[in-house]
Structure formats: structure tokens, C-alpha cells
């Protein structure tokens, strides 16, 4: 069978970097009976019924407070976007199959068996309307980490073949081609060479040994290639031993986003193996939120043991250099608003890093309401931006986001996540924002004081 | 140690009269009206069974006042009767032979039953007197 | 007539209610704790005092973060009013203290009845408001299931029956007292099996999240 | 015996005026919470009746009930009741004894068949053919059934006659029961109490005399007029209960200050009786007033119910060992369920 999904080409024209809008949607994958789909889903639900998930699913009191934290609920007012509701089938399966009273739930059919119709209906809630930004976790009086539960629910959805068309396709491309969006090793190499010429900066690739393995996301490779040059510029400025590597460069992890744990592991493994191979002490991750989540916090767990190197996000890396006084920066002046990428700040623990850099640039940071750990998500993460079906929803969420950013009346709009950035670009155009968000890394690279 | 040495004191109940005396006065007025209009000859209000606090009790006495007639009856213990300042409203207290209050009520009538000689007693007196006379 | 309802409520019913309460509660907690714990191999950002953060979160999260307060404080207020009201009535009504004293062997000072009745009244009112809000709010209406309404019922029932016992509106005090005790036992028996168990889970859940995020250096 | 036409004639002959009569009725109306205007009506009705024949049967009892009714010792207004009735048979009170006494009873029964009132104090043993209490060779059961057959109504005086009382206390060696367990075809009224209040007894008899029938009863067969409220409802210490002032020992400050005795096991809240209003010994006092909680003696099974000193809100909750066992069982089941759940998860995960 020829899978029609794969035939969709990467859309290089749109501000949003992804697949072209499919003429016909195929939101179910594989040839499976309904019963098989449910069985597959249950198989993977069951793998996630550990203590942590169980505690969370036992704890919910149905207070609905989490709805107030979710950008999708707040902007639409539709109750189905209530975060905890998004894992309802997962919860239902847990109560019936694994909870302490599962026996009674089953015996009296208190929770019926999850049906394929339910799983199909929930596809939109689990994928289109959740960026796994975790803002709801902070709102929940019981501290239920709903974002991680959604991540788990996606495992089952993937194996049941119930992933939104585009997300499934990019995940498959990433697994098969090494990059979700056509940045295969050949393209990667070409673009590095191009940037090297364009920006007159030395860029190392496939060095046999280096202290730092630098990874890039395909968004940057394809859409914001200056990031590659700027990363190189900073690393060279600091005089560090570093390299890109064609065997392990793709930082995005669509295995994580789509819910395929095996693929997630494959994608992380490439970087891990490469880093070990070149004896890297550090893996430097680009301005990409979920890439950070995937490698920094999931990486070792995919590997099955602690990693023999440290994993840092470029903003953490820059902040360290600034703090150690190694990075001399021009005073930019002006005022700026910073959009915290959810996976780096709230769920990554690196909330302070960008603030230190902004301070070092002499920029007055204007924090809008709900920033830092409480930042409103851009609405495009977690794979949402690839799904055309979710566009209207995403634009709605972005309205809230832009209003928040505009409220600061700052000169500069900054972020340190290329996925957020492309969402700002795409939604900003759609909503006629008339402004542009800039990369913190690029701002740093543009303002290095070369005192040599 | 005598009983008096046991230092038991009872905490006093809340002070001040309640709405009770006023409500009672309304009832008295209605009954008095009925008797005045000839719809009834005799009406009674039991005071003993009502939850009257000492303050209530005192106020009721003040409100009704004391009228012209008062009487003492000796019949298996004492009974006290007096007409209140409100004519036709009589206040009666019955004591047992042990000086215990056994009944207390207001009677709204021209003359309380307690003061009247019952017809049967009166007839019995006829027979008794006749006996005495014939014995002489 | 041999055994009255009150005798049953004070005797076997109380024994079984307590046994089921303790049994069910431990069962559920152990049953969840006994599921697989997955090790986290990621390099922690913070290693010191992670457990302290866990403990702290149990208390810190008693109030919403100021970020969310404007939208959710009404709901917090209502729920705190009935939670606190419920516990004040439960723990500071002298006859209740005598109940605990009999079990624990020690007691504590109580509050005057009129204070208790006032608090009880407020508790009932807050529970009513909570129910109305649950039904009117589309989010909570959608999510609510039997557990939510039944838990509400078993919570309000002892308060209402307790007030009725003391209001003496129903002539048979003894029967009402028995119903009151039975309604409390219904609460005890149901507690481990429904969402009322959140009284225990809230500690476990807050702790779990706080510890998970503390090692990342994140907020929880 | 010289026979009077009516009670009125009879009393007049004894020099008791109708005013006394009226007074008696006013007192009765008050104690039974009848409308005050009923008193003159009662007096007229009573005057027109004949003297009521009463047969008093004593079974398994302590004579406390008889003592109680006699303890209206001064020539009180209530004691008038003895002038209104013809007590034709009463072991303790009658002069006759042995055969003569039994003959008197038979005669009264014959003369007043279908009209006499039977008062019973004491419970009736049923075990082993009722041999545990016999009179003149007859078991109490036989006597009761024989006498009740011609009765207009029965009054069970005291908790023993009403509900079995102390003889019925566990293990109830004699198989004692109350009257209404046996007599089903006649009106029976219960006047429980250990002993019952004299005014309750005389009031109920007076009510029967005047109206010719037993007064309104509650679900336990007690006259509502006297047993309509609990001791707690009418207790003068109730305000202290409301204020949360409780004596915690019989010699503490609270006890000295006369605070509520709830914490000391007072059963006032679940005991229906008129002690708090009518009181005892000519309105002198009642148990709570003298510093001891109500034992609940007018309620069925009061003896077996509970410790007299256990607060009503304290329960028979079991013991710590039982709860520890429940916790241990819960832990075992929880662990077992977790293991099963893990296995079940593995099975599902394998997709089998």
C-alpha cells in the first residue's frame, strides 16, 4: 500500500514551517480493525500506568480550575479544552484496568471499556489542543502534572494509529530521513557551508573529537539558518572545541511529540551515540523548547542510564558565559519583552537564564503579566503547529499571546525557541501583528564585543 | 459535712421578658371580647403549662394589675383568686394540701367557677340542713 | 423494638464504618504506591533539599498562585469555607469531641453550640453554592460524574442531619440522631472509594509533582 | 359495701366539695397539657361517672412503682385519685391476704366484667412455662390473660410492665416480656419509668375515668401528654448545653456550677419523660437537678443500652487492635492488588 501521507511535500513558502495542507486528511493510520486499535491503545496505556500517573489520576477532584490556565480554553471558552478532560480515556482505562479498585470498576462496569469512537473524538484534544506547556500543572490545587499525562496518552494514540495526519507524517519522515522537515544530513551540510560563506564564520562539522556537540533543529536549519552561524560565532568567540555532526544533529524529537517512544528513543540515541563517539562533554541544544525537554529531561531515560555528558540549552550556555564574564556584550539599550518557551522555563527550570543575558545586553526587560514560569504558551508547541486543522485554534491562542506581549510596549520582542518564533511569524502575519519576534541568540551574536 | 456545704449553684437563665406576655395579652383581649359579645360565658388560659420565665411572669402581672376583688378558698389546700385591673379577667392559683402550686390560670368571665357554689353542692346542702333541722 | 436504630448506629454500624474506612484507605494508598516507580536518570539541576520542596509544596499550594488567583479565588473561598466549616463543626462541637475522646483518649476545648450551628449553616450554604456552581459552570458540569454528586451528598448530609438533630424540628430526636450518625458513617465508608480521598491524595500528589520538578529547578 | 350512685354523690358524702373536684381537674388538665377550658368539663364528667373498679397485678417487680404512686403521701390533690377508684385487688395495699384476696379479685371481675381497669407492674416471665413467678399456683402469664380478658383497658406501670425492664436485662434468665407483648386484643398503655412519675400514673387514670378511654399514645404506647418531649428538651440545664458548658467530672468546677451533664453520660436527649417538668417528690427535684445525668430509665432496654456514664455521642467504635487489623488487611490487599495490577498491565502491554 502506498501511504498517501508521505507524498505531501514540505512547505517551504509559508511562514509556518511544515507540510503543505493535505487535500484529503488521513487522521487514522494503518489497516486495523476498531478492536485492534483499542487493543493497541490499551497496550500502551498499560505501559504508562505507573505510580506517578496513577497518583495523578486518583487525585483529580473535577474542580475545573485547570481550565483557567489553558490558553485554548481561555480563548475559546469551550469546556472540552479543559486540560484534565483531555486525558479522560486514559483515566478511564486506568480506573478500569490498573487502579486499586479496578476489579470493582470492571465488575460493575463503572467505567466502560474505552471505545475507538472515544479515542477518535479525543484525538483533537490530545494533539490539536494541547502543547503540553504545563501551565495547568501550576494551577491545579492537587498539582496534577496534566502535561506529562497528555504525553503518555499520546503513546497509546500513536500505536492505535490515531495521530493527526501531518504530525504522523513528519514523525515518520524524521524517523526515516533523519529530519522531520527535509533537513537530511546532505541538506544540513549544504546549509552549514552556505552560512559559513554568508557570515564568514568558521563552522566545524564531523570533527572526530570535540568538547561540545552542537545540535540544531530542522526549523533553524531550514528557516532560521543564521542561528547556526550565530551559534558558531559565539562558540568561536569563547574559543571552545566544538562541532556539528551529520550523525547526530537533529534536536527536534517528533517521536516525543507524536507519541512513539521507540522513535523518540531512536532520535535521542543518534545524538547520544554521536556525543559519546566524539567524547563530547557537553551537548549544546538550540533554541528549541521540546528539543530541550526531549534531551535534557528524557534523554537519559531513553538511554536507560545517566548520560556521560551534560545537556544544556543555548540560553543556559550563554547565561553561564555571561556570568563568568567570558562573553563581552555591547549595551543595546531599548526595552524588551521576553516570551518564555514553556519547555525551557516552566518545564525546564531555566527560567532565569534568558533574563541574565538580557540584563547583560543592557536591555530593560519589561515583564508582562503572566511571564516567567507562568508564561502563556505561544500555542504552537507539542506538534500543534504542524496540524493545519488546528490553525484557527492556534491563532486564537496567539491573539492572547500577542496582547500580552503588546501590553509591555517594549521595543524588542524576544524569545529563545525557534518553534515559538515560527509560530509568532505565522500567526503574527495572519493576525496582522506588524511586529517581529527575535532570537535571543542572534541578538547576542550580533552584539559581541570583539576586543581582539 | 452537711448538704449545704456542697457548693452547687445554678447558672441563672437569660434575663429580660420575652414576647410572651404581650402575646398573652392579645389572647386575653380576644377572649374578653367573646365573653362581652355573649359568644362565650367562660374562658381559661393555663399559665402553668406555658414556658414563662420569671421576668415574663412579672411583666404579665404588671400588665394586668390588680382589681377590686380577691378571695381565698380552702378546698384540699388553698386557692387564691383575684380579679385583675382588667375587669372580667381573674387570676387563679391552686395549691395542694402540701402548699405546692398545682394549677395557675386566668379565667375570663363574670364570676370564676371556683367562687360559685355548684348546684349539686347547693342541693346537697338542702338535704343536710333539713337533717339538722329535723334532728332538733 | 429490641435494637433501636440509634443502638445500631452507635454500635455495629460505627465499628464497621471505621473498619471499612481504614481498610479502604490503606488499600487504595498502598495499591497506588505499589505500582511501578520509574527511575529518573536525567541529571538533576538541583540535588539538595528536594524533599523539602516536596513538603513545602504540600503547604504552599494551599493557596492558588497569585497568577491564577483573580480567576479562581472565588472557587477557593467557597471550598475553603465548607472545608473549614465542616472541620470546625466536626472537631469543635463538644459532643463530637466526646466521640473523639472516647477513641483517642484525649479531648480538647469545644465551641459554644450557637457558634457551631452558625458555622454549620454557613457550611451548608457554601456547599449549596458549590453545587450550583458545579452545575452552572460548563467546565465542571461536563466533567462531573456520579462520584462528584454523591461525594457532595455524603458531605452535606451529616451537616444537615446534625443541624436537624439540634434544631429539634423533627420530633423524634433519637431517630434523627441515629440518622445523623449513620450519615456520618456513610461519609466514612464512601471516603476511601471516591474523590473524597483527595484529602490524602493532595499530599501525595503535591509531593510527587514538587519533587519531580524540584530536581529540574522548576516551579511546581 | 354501700353503693353510691355516682362518683359525685360518693365524694360529697365524704365531704369533698365540687370546688376540690374542680381544682383536681385544673391540676390534671395542666399536667396533661389539655386546654384549660377542659377542666370544668372534666369535673362534670367525672362527677357523673361511677366509681371505677381497678385490679392491680404485680408480677416480676420491686414494688417501686407502688411506692412511687403512694409517695404522693401528703393528702395531695393527686392522691384524690384513690377516692375516685375502687382498688379491688392489690397485693401490697389490700388488707386481705391469701384466698380472701384472690376471691376479692374474682368478685370484682365478675361484677365489673368488661369494665374494670387493669394496672400491671412488673414483667411477665415466659421461659420454661413461666414458672419463675407464680401467684396462688398460677403463672403470671395465666393470671394476666385471665384478668385481661374482662378488662376495659390495661395500664402498664413502670418499665418492667411496659418493656420488660430489669428482669429482661441480658441475659434475661426468665424470658421476661412486657404486657403489650402478650395482650394484643385490648387497649394497653405504657407508663414507663423506673419508677414512673406519680402524676403520670394518676393523670392517666384520671384521663381514663373522665373520657372513658386511654389518652393519645406515641409509637411506644406512652401517653403523649407526658412523654411528648425529651428530658433534654425541658431540662433547665439546656441553656448550658447550648453554650457548650459541660461538667466533665462529678467533682469538677462544671459539676459545682451545675453545668450540663451530657459529657457524663446523661441520656436526657433520647429519653422521653416528664421528669424535667413535673419533677419528683412534689416538684422538689429530679435526677439532673441533683447532679446526676438521666439514665434513660423510661426507655426500652435502658439497662442494656450503654454505660450510664458514656456520653451519648461516644460510640462503641471497637478497638485500636481492630482498626490496626483493618489497616494491615488494607495494606495486604493493596499490595496484592498492586502486584496483580502490574501483572495485568504486563499482560495488556504484551497485547495478549
Amino acid at each position: 500500500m502506498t501511504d498517501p501521507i508521505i507524498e505531501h511535500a514540505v512547505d517551504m513558502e509559508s511562514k509556518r514551517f511544515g507540510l503543505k495542507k493535505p487535500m484529503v486528511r488521513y487522521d487514522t493510520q494503518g489497516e486495523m480493525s476498531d478492536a485492534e486499535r483499542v487493543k493497541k491503545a490499551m497496550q500502551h496505556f498499560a505501559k504508562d500506568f505507573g505510580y506517578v500517573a496513577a497518583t495523578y489520576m486518583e487525585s483529580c477532584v473535577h474542580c475545573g480550575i485547570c481550565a483557567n490556565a489553558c490558553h485554548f480554553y481561555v480563548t475559546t471558552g469551550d469546556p472540552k479544552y479543559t486540560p484534565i478532560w483531555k486525558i479522560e480515556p486514559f483515566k478511564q482505562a486506568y480506573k478500569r484496568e490498573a487502579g486499586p479498585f479496578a476489579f470493582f470498576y470492571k465488575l460493575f462496569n463503572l467505567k466502560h471499556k474505552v471505545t475507538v469512537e472515544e479515542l477518535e473524538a479525543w484525538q483533537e484534544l490530545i494533539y490539536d489542543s494541547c502543547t503540553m506547556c504545563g501551565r495547568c500543572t501550576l494551577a491545579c490545587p492537587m498539582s496534577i502534572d496534566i502535561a506529562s499525562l497528555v504525553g503518555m496518552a499520546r503513546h497509546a494514540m500513536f500505536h492505535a494509529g490515531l495521530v493527526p495526519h501531518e504530525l504522523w507524517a513528519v514523525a515518520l519522515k524524521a524517523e526515516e530521513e533523519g529530519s522531520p522537515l527535509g533537513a537530511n544530513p546532505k541538506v544540513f551540510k549544504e546549509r552549514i557551508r552556505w552560512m559559513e560563506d554568508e557570515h564568514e564564520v568558521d563552522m566545524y562539522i564531523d570533527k572526530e573529537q570535540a568538547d561540545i556537540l552542537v545540535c540544531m533543529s530542522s526549523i533553524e536549519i531550514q528557516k532560521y539558518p543564521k542561528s547556526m552561524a550565530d551559534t558558531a560565532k559565539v562558540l568561536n568567540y569563547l574559543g571552545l572545541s566544538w562541532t556539528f555532526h551529520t550523525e547526530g544533529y537533529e534536536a527536534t524529537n517528533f517521536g516525543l511529540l507524536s507519541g512513539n517512544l521507540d522513535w523518540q528513543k531512536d532520535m535521542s540515541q543518534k545524538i547520544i551515540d554521536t556525543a559519546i563517539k566524539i567524547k563530547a562533554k557537553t551537548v549544546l541544544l538550540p533554541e528549541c523548547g521540546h528539543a530541550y525537554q526531549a534531551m535534557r529531561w528524557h534523554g537519559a531515560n531513553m538511554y536507560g542510564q545517566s548520560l556521560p555528558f551534560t545537556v544544556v540549552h543555548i540560553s543556559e550556555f550563554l547565561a553561564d558565559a555571561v556570568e563568568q564574564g567570558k562573553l563581552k556584550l555591547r549595551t543595546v539599550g531599548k526595552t524588551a519583552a521576553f516570551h518564555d518557551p514553556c519547555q525551557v522555563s516552566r518545564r525546564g527550570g531555566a527560567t532565569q537564564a534568558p533574563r541574565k543575558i538580557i540584563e547583560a545586553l543592557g536591555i530593560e526587560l519589561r515583564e508582562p503579566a503572566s511571564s516567567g514560569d507562568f508564561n502563556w504558551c505561544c500555542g504552537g508547541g507539542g506538534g500543534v503547529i504542524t496540524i493545519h486543522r488546528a490553525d484557527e485554534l492556534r491563532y486564537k491562542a496567539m491573539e492572547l499571546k500577542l496582547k500580552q506581549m503588546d501590553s509591555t510596549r517594549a521595543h524588542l520582542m524576544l524569545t529563545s525557541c525557534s518553534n515559538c518564533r515560527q509560530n509568532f511569524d505565522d500567526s503574527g502575519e495572519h493576525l496582522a501583528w506588524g511586529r517581529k519576534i527575535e532570537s535571543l541568540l542572534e541578538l547576542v551574536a550580533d552584539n559581541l564585543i570583539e576586543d581582539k | 459535712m452537711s448538704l449545704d456545704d456542697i457548693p452547687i449553684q445554678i447558672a441563672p437563665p437569660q434575663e429580660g421578658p420575652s414576647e410572651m406576655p404581650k402575646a398573652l395579652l392579645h389572647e386575653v383581649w380576644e377572649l374578653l371580647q367573646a365573653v362581652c359579645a355573649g359568644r362565650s360565658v367562660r374562658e381559661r388560659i393555663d399559665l402553668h403549662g406555658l414556658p414563662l420565665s420569671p421576668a415574663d411572669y412579672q411583666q404579665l402581672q404588671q400588665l394586668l394589675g390588680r382589681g377590686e376583688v380577691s378571695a381565698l378558698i380552702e378546698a384540699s389546700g388553698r386557692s387564691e383568686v383575684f380579679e385583675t385591673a382588667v375587669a372580667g379577667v381573674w387570676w387563679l392559683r391552686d395549691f395542694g394540701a402540701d402548699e405546692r402550686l398545682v394549677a395557675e390560670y386566668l379565667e375570663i368571665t363574670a364570676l370564676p367557677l371556683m367562687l360559685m357554689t355548684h348546684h349539686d353542692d347547693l342541693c346537697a346542702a338542702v338535704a343536710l340542713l333539713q337533717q339538722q333541722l329535723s334532728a332538733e | 423494638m429490641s435494637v433501636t436504630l440509634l443502638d445500631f448506629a452507635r454500635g455495629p454500624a460505627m465499628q464497621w464504618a471505621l473498619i471499612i474506612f481504614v481498610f479502604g484507605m490503606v488499600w487504595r494508598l498502598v495499591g497506588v504506591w505499589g505500582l511501578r516507580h520509574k527511575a529518573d536518570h536525567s541529571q538533576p539541576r538541583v540535588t539538595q533539599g528536594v524533599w523539602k520542596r516536596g513538603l513545602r509544596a504540600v503547604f504552599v499550594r494551599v493557596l492558588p498562585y497569585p497568577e491564577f488567583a483573580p480567576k479562581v479565588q472565588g472557587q477557593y473561598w467557597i471550598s475553603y469555607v465548607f472545608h473549614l466549616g465542616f472541620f470546625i463543626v466536626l472537631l469543635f462541637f463538644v459532643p463530637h469531641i466526646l466521640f473523639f475522646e472516647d477513641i483517642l483518649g484525649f479531648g480538647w476545648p469545644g465551641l459554644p453550640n450557637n457558634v457551631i450551628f452558625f458555622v454549620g449553616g454557613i457550611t451548608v450554604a457554601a456547599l449549596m453554592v458549590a453545587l450550583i456552581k458545579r452545575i452552572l459552570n460548563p467546565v465542571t458540569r461536563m466533567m462531573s460524574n456520579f462520584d462528584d454528586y454523591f461525594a457532595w451528598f455524603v458531605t452535606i448530609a451529616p451537616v444537615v442531619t446534625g443541624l436537624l438533630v439540634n434544631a429539634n424540628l423533627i420530633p423524634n430526636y433519637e431517630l434523627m440522631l441515629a440518622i445523623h450518625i449513620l450519615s456520618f458513617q456513610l461519609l466514612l465508608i464512601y471516603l476511601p472509594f471516591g474523590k473524597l480521598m483527595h484529602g490524602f491524595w493532595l499530599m501525595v500528589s503535591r509531593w510527587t509533582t514538587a519533587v519531580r520538578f524540584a530536581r529540574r529547578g522548576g516551579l511546581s | 359495701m354501700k353503693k353510691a350512685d355516682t362518683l359525685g354523690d360518693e365524694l360529697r358524702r365524704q365531704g369533698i366539695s365540687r370546688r376540690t373536684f374542680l381544682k383536681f381537674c385544673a391540676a390534671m388538665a395542666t399536667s396533661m397539657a389539655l386546654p384549660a377550658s377542659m377542666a370544668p368539663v372534666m369535673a362534670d364528667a367525672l362527677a357523673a361517672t361511677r366509681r371505677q373498679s381497678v385490679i392491680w397485678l404485680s408480677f416480676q417487680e420491686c414494688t417501686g412503682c407502688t411506692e412511687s404512686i403512694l409517695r404522693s403521701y401528703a393528702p395531695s390533690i393527686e392522691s384524690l385519685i384513690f377516692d375516685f377508684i375502687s382498688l379491688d385487688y392489690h397485693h401490697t395495699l389490700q388488707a386481705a391476704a391469701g384466698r380472701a384476696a384472690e376471691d376479692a379479685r374474682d368478685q370484682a371481675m365478675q361484677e365489673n366484667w368488661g369494665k374494670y381497669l387493669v394496672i400491671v407492674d412488673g414483667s411477665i416471665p415466659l421461659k420454661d412455662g413461666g414458672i419463675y413467678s407464680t401467684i396462688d399456683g398460677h403463672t403470671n402469664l395465666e393470671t394476666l390473660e385471665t384478668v385481661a380478658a374482662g378488662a376495659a383497658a390495661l395500664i402498664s406501670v413502670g418499665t418492667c410492665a411496659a418493656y420488660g425492664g430489669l428482669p429482661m436485662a441480658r441475659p434475661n434468665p426468665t424470658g421476661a416480656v412486657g404486657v403489650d407483648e402478650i395482650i394484643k386484643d385490648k387497649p394497653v398503655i405504657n407508663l414507663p419509668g423506673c419508677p414512673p412519675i406519680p402524676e403520670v400514673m394518676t393523670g392517666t387514670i384520671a384521663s381514663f375515668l373522665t373520657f372513658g378511654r386511654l389518652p393519645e399514645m406515641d409509637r411506644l404506647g406512652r401517653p403523649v401528654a407526658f412523654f411528648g418531649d425529651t428530658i433534654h428538651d425541658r431540662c433547665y440545664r439546656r441553656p448550658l448545653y447550648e453554650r457548650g458548658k459541660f461538667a466533665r467530672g462529678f467533682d469538677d468546677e462544671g459539676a459545682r456550677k451545675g453545668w450540663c451533664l451530657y459529657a457524663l453520660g446523661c441520656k436526657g436527649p433520647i429519653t422521653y419523660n416528664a421528669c424535667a417538668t413535673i419533677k419528683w417528690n412534689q416538684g422538689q427535684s429530679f435526677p439532673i437537678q441533683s447532679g446526676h445525668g438521666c439514665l434513660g430509665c423510661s426507655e426500652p432496654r435502658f439497662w442494656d443500652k450503654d454505660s450510664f456514664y458514656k456520653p451519648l455521642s461516644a460510640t462503641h467504635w471497637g478497638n485500636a487492635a481492630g482498626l490496626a487489623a483493618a489497616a494491615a488487611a488494607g495494606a495486604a490487599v493493596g499490595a496484592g492488588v498492586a502486584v496483580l495490577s502490574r501483572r495485568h498491565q504486563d499482560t495488556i502491554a504484551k497485547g495478549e
Side-chain angles (χ1 to χ4, degrees), chain D residues 56-318:
Chain D
W56 186 302
L57 301 175
S58 297
F59 297 144
Q60 291 193 126
E61 46 86 38
C62 66
T63 317
C65 301
T66 300
E67 286 289 336
S68 177
I69 198 167
L70 294 176
R71 279 297 168 252
S72 37
Y73 51 86
S76 75
I77 202 87
E78 293 81 21
S79 63
L80 265 180
I81 200 76
F82 289 106
D83 294 322
F84 297 168
I85 62 171
S86 162
L87 194 51
D88 294 326
Y89 179 75
H90 190 304
H91 280 168
T92 319
L93 300 182
Q94 70 194 141
R99 178 52 45 200
E102 301 304 309
D103 288 346
R105 192 191 75 200
D106 291 342
Q107 192 195 338
M109 281 168 65
Q110 268 171 26
E111 283 172 9
N112 301 288
W113 190 256
K115 283 181 280 188
Y116 57 83
L117 192 61
V118 177
I119 298 180
V120 183
D121 68 334
S123 64
I124 302 98
L126 296 183
K127 207 170 168 187
D128 301 327
I131 55 159
Y132 297 105
S133 176
T134 60
I135 297 162
D136 188 28
H138 298 288
T139 65
N140 291 166
L141 178 64
E142 286 165 13
T143 311
L144 178 63
E145 280 175 339
T146 314
V147 176
L154 290 89
I155 299 178
S156 295
V157 149
T159 304
C160 296
Y163 310 127
L166 296 199
M168 201 185 83
R170 276 196 291 267
N172 191 4
T174 66
V177 297
V179 172
D180 60 9
E181 297 277 300
I182 296 164
I183 304 302
K184 304 284 188 190
D185 57 346
K186 300 274 175 182
V188 181
I189 196 163
N190 292 327
L191 305 180
C194 194
I197 301 170
E199 285 83 347
V200 169
M201 295 189 264
T202 52
T204 304
I205 296 169
S207 170
F208 181 79
L209 295 183
T210 38
F211 300 113
R213 57 181 159 77
L214 294 173
E216 191 198 340
M217 296 179 225
D218 69 4
R219 76 204 152 87
L220 291 175
R222 305 174 292 202
V224 176
F226 299 109
F227 295 88
D229 294 317
T230 62
I231 305 288
H232 185 61
D233 284 339
R234 296 297 178 140
C235 181
Y236 73 102
R237 295 197 190 194
R238 179 67 182 264
L240 295 154
Y241 169 86
E242 301 300 351
R243 274 184 260 159
K245 300 278 188 204
F246 295 92
R248 304 305 300 269
F250 287 107
D251 56 352
D252 72 352
E253 188 205 1
R256 278 192 282 276
K257 286 191 173 161
W259 288 355
C260 176
L261 300 166
Y262 186 95
L264 292 170
C266 179
K267 301 293 181 288
I270 57 162
T271 304
Y272 291 82
N273 208 337
C275 302
T277 41
I278 298 177
K279 300 191 182 174
W280 292 80
N281 299 327
Q282 285 73 50
Q284 199 61 238
S285 181
F286 73 115
I288 292 170
Q289 196 169 342
S290 60
H292 193 287
C294 168
L295 303 182
C297 73
S298 56
E299 294 295 315
R301 293 179 58 254
F302 82 97
W303 193 263
D304 284 333
K305 262 189 175 164
D306 215 340
S307 159
F308 292 148
Y309 302 100
K310 188 170 190 134
L312 205 51
S313 58
T315 58
H316 300 270
W317 58 276

Side-chain angles (χ1 to χ4, degrees), chain B residues 41-42 44 71 73 81 90 92 107 109-122, chain D residues 17-20 22:
Chain B
V41 179
R42 190 181 313 283
R44 282 189 182 197
I73 302 152
V81 185
W90 300 78
L92 291 98
E107 196 165 314
T109 186
L111 186 65
L113 218 48
M114 248 343 232
L115 292 179
M116 284 165 46
T117 305
H118 196 276
H119 187 72
D120 288 355
D121 284 344
L122 191 142
Chain D
S17 77
R18 284 295 280 273
R19 286 201 183 89
T20 306
L22 207 54

Side-chain angles (χ1 to χ4, degrees), chain A residues 104-131:
Chain A
F104 298 109
Y105 278 104
K106 214 178 220 171
L107 185 66
F108 302 112
N109 204 28
L110 299 175
K111 290 274 181 221
H112 64 84
K113 246 182 151 152
V114 176
T115 65
V116 77
E117 289 78 16
E118 280 166 332
L119 292 175
E120 281 167 355
W122 253 266
Q123 185 189 90
E124 188 215 341
L125 299 179
I126 292 175
Y127 287 104
D128 300 28
S129 62
C130 182
T131 55

